[in-house]
Amino acid sequence: MSYSNGIGDRMQVSNPIAPASASQTRPAEAKTAEAQPAGRTGTDAATLSPTGELISQALGGSDVRSSKVEALQKAIADGSYNVSSSDVAGKVMDSLLK
């Protein structure tokens, strides 16, 4: 194959996509062995920034507000928990209209 360099000279290219010689390529095992420093076992580790740590704690926590749940359980147990009938009717109507 030949091509022009734009000035009129012709240059000869025998194989523009020649395979790499055996001395230029190495097996994948050799590459990974060289990439790891001596004494490393190949385990990965990650650290979080302080902001990331706060987000992780917030997402890992529970949405249950135990003090409120305990207060409601106590009110139900001693019979002092009252719900307005109009509130119940309003919620029923809202759920039916959705």
Side-chain angles (χ1 to χ4, degrees):
M1 168 185 0
S2 64
Y3 66 93
S4 173
N5 67 3
I7 301 175
D9 296 331
R10 293 207 164 259
M11 302 175 82
Q12 186 69 24
V13 177
S14 61
N15 190 358
I17 306 175
S21 67
S23 63
Q24 292 176 336
T25 60
R26 294 183 301 199
E29 299 84 30
K31 289 180 184 177
T32 57
E34 288 178 5
Q36 293 180 354
R40 303 283 311 256
T41 60
T43 58
D44 292 334
T47 57
L48 295 176
S49 67
T51 304
E53 185 66 33
L54 288 172
I55 292 171
S56 175
Q57 289 174 357
L59 293 175
S62 175
D63 289 349
V64 176
R65 294 177 285 176
S66 58
S67 61
K68 191 165 188 169
V69 170
E70 289 172 11
L72 286 171
Q73 286 175 336
K74 184 177 182 248
I76 292 169
D78 43 353
S80 62
Y81 182 71
N82 292 319
V83 179
S84 165
S85 57
S86 62
D87 289 344
V88 173
K91 293 292 181 177
V92 169
M93 292 303 293
D94 289 342
S95 69
L96 292 174
L97 294 175
K98 287 184 181 180

